[in-house]
Amino acid sequence: MLNTQKRLKLQHFLTIKNLQNEQVNSLIERAEYFKAGGKVLNYEQPVYAVNMFFENSTRTHCSFEMAERKLGIETIPFDPAASSVKKGETLYDTLLALNSIGVELAVIRHPHNEYYRKLVNLSAAQKLNIGIINAGDGSGQHPSQSLLDMMTIHEQFGGFKRLKVAIIGDLTNSRVARSNMRLLKQLGAEVYFSGPEYWYSQEFAEYGTYGKVDDLLDQMDVVMLLRVQHERHQQETAFSTERYHQQYGLTLERYERLKKQAIIMHPGPINRGVELASELVEASQSRFTTQMQNGVFMRMAMIEAVVEGRNLGGKR
Ligand code: CP
């Protein structure tokens, strides 16, 4: 199987903000090639990576690790709780240590927005030389989730132009929503927002329109539900899961009103019975498991772009 398209080459993969449409399409094509069983490049020399997750994760962490293994990359184990970060070592100094012992790529999830700035804007005197792949920064960006979502939509509809996509739920705290609203608009989709008005902000108005769940659902091609992120709420007043589900969630009754070709998506982890009825997680119009499956292939494409951009692995 051939994949002849010119591949993306990057020093770091930090955000979707600078990606051109043709670069997004190139990543989707490469990920679809991997999914179809396309061969990976054979690196002449080993490439060493580390996955550093300072926030909990199941699918992003494990699928980056799976992607690394499929690419033939050696992964060095790193557990923040057992590391010298606990003795006060900074993120920069931790990476300087890992880089000094031979690590060339770091996949990082961190609670601070744009934690990576200090790692990539270096003075001439600084010796850090490591490719950073952002696995989620605070409420900032989640590039790999966003790109695997675009792959999943592309797989279903073959493109993005004029698709109607509703992003529903905890918008304020969602790095997935921030990444997706921008990329979807850029790719030509029509973005709508819904959920509690107190989680909608005017900063989103440049990307789409806010509407009530019941006014939107039957017109949408894609219904993207967001997890209620209790851990990021400063002062949460009594939250009723049942009330949220009835007012804003995808209930069985609302599911029946979706267009037959519409898909439902959720980045995970899901609060069953809150954002959507538990029975809908694996329903025929749900793409929840497809998203997680696609995540491995998209992350392979992203890692490969940084390996290529930094000329790692010797000749191929
Ligand atoms: N979607 C997502 O980021 O899930 P994890 O937190 O499990 O990685």
Side-chain angles (χ1 to χ4, degrees), residues 37 52 56 67 108 140 147 183 191 210 220 223 236 272 307 315:
M52 307 170 80
N56 292 352
I108 306 178
L147 287 162
L183 211 42
V191 179
Y210 177 86
M220 295 297 114
V223 176
E236 194 164 34
R272 284 177 181 255
V307 170
K315 284 198 184 131

Side-chain angles (χ1 to χ4, degrees), residues 32-315:
E32 287 176 345
Y33 163 82
F34 287 135
K35 186 172 180 177
K39 281 204 172 112
V40 300
L41 299 173
N42 282 323
Y43 300 126
E44 190 184 57
Q45 292 159 10
V47 177
Y48 293 103
V50 66
N51 300 317
M52 307 170 80
F53 279 68
F54 296 92
E55 277 187 348
N56 292 352
S57 167
T58 297
R59 70 225 77 223
T60 311
H61 193 163
C62 294
S63 61
F64 263 117
E65 187 150 339
M66 182 65 86
E68 286 152 2
R69 288 181 190 210
K70 282 178 180 272
L71 289 170
I73 289 173
E74 304 280 348
T75 307
I76 305 297
F78 179 84
D79 173 8
S83 75
S84 289
V85 169
K86 284 284 172 197
K87 300 177 198 166
E89 192 163 41
T90 64
L91 180 56
Y92 178 88
D93 285 342
T94 304
L95 283 164
L96 196 59
L98 292 166
N99 192 200
S100 302
I101 64 173
V103 175
E104 300 156 303
L105 292 176
V107 175
I108 306 178
R109 171 173 288 188
H110 201 279
H112 295 157
N113 288 24
E114 300 191 350
Y115 67 83
Y116 46 77
R117 287 209 175 276
K118 284 186 213 154
L119 311 176
V120 299
N121 297 327
L122 303 175
S123 71
Q126 288 177 293
K127 295 200 167 86
L128 186 66
N129 181 17
I130 195 162
I132 308 292
I133 300 175
N134 181 14
D137 60 299
S139 59
Q141 290 272 308
H142 197 339
S144 64
Q145 180 69 47
S146 185
L147 287 162
L148 76 88
D149 286 348
M150 297 308 124
M151 176 184 176
T152 306
I153 294 171
H154 185 267
E155 222 170 35
Q156 187 72 31
F157 298 101
F160 302 90
K161 287 256 182 303
R162 287 180 290 284
L163 281 181
K164 292 182 192 293
V165 183
I167 309 179
I168 302 174
D170 192 350
L171 296 158
T172 315
N173 294 294
S174 177
R175 52 194 172 212
V176 178
R178 281 200 173 72
S179 305
N180 280 354
M181 66 180 79
R182 179 184 283 268
L183 211 42
L184 283 164
K185 184 178 178 202
Q186 183 182 311
L187 290 163
E190 290 174 26
V191 179
Y192 297 84
F193 301 106
S194 196
E197 278 189 65
Y198 49 83
W199 284 335
Y200 174 77
S201 155
Q202 273 307 316
E203 70 173 289
F204 306 141
E206 66 174 294
Y207 302 106
T209 316
Y210 177 86
K212 293 201 182 306
V213 172
D214 288 312
D215 294 341
L216 292 178
L217 276 183
D218 60 354
Q219 299 159 52
M220 295 297 114
D221 299 297
V222 179
V223 176
M224 217 174 247
L225 303 159
L226 301 173
R227 182 173 70 89
V228 178
Q229 300 193 45
H230 296 287
E231 74 277 16
R232 294 193 203 276
H233 300 162
Q234 298 293 326
Q235 290 171 315
E236 194 164 34
T237 49
F239 179 85
S240 160
T241 54
E242 277 165 31
R243 197 167 57 230
Y244 183 92
H245 187 58
Q246 287 311 320
Q247 286 188 334
Y248 311 109
L250 193 65
T251 59
L252 295 173
E253 188 275 328
R254 287 189 178 116
Y255 181 72
E256 290 304 318
R257 285 196 272 128
L258 295 179
K259 293 205 274 195
K260 289 302 161 220
Q261 70 275 27
I263 59 170
I264 55 178
M265 299 174 68
H266 192 304
I270 290 175
N271 294 308
R272 284 177 181 255
V274 183
E275 297 97 45
L276 76 167
S278 186
E279 298 89 330
L280 297 178
V281 173
E282 296 167 83
S284 61
Q285 288 176 253
S286 167
R287 293 295 173 272
F288 181 55
T289 56
T290 310
Q291 286 172 273
M292 295 185 283
Q293 187 188 19
N294 287 346
V296 174
F297 304 110
M298 181 49 78
R299 287 174 176 118
M300 288 172 74
M302 292 171 67
I303 295 166
E304 187 185 66
V306 180
V307 170
E308 297 268 299
R310 300 180 79 83
N311 269 323
L312 303 176
K315 284 198 184 131

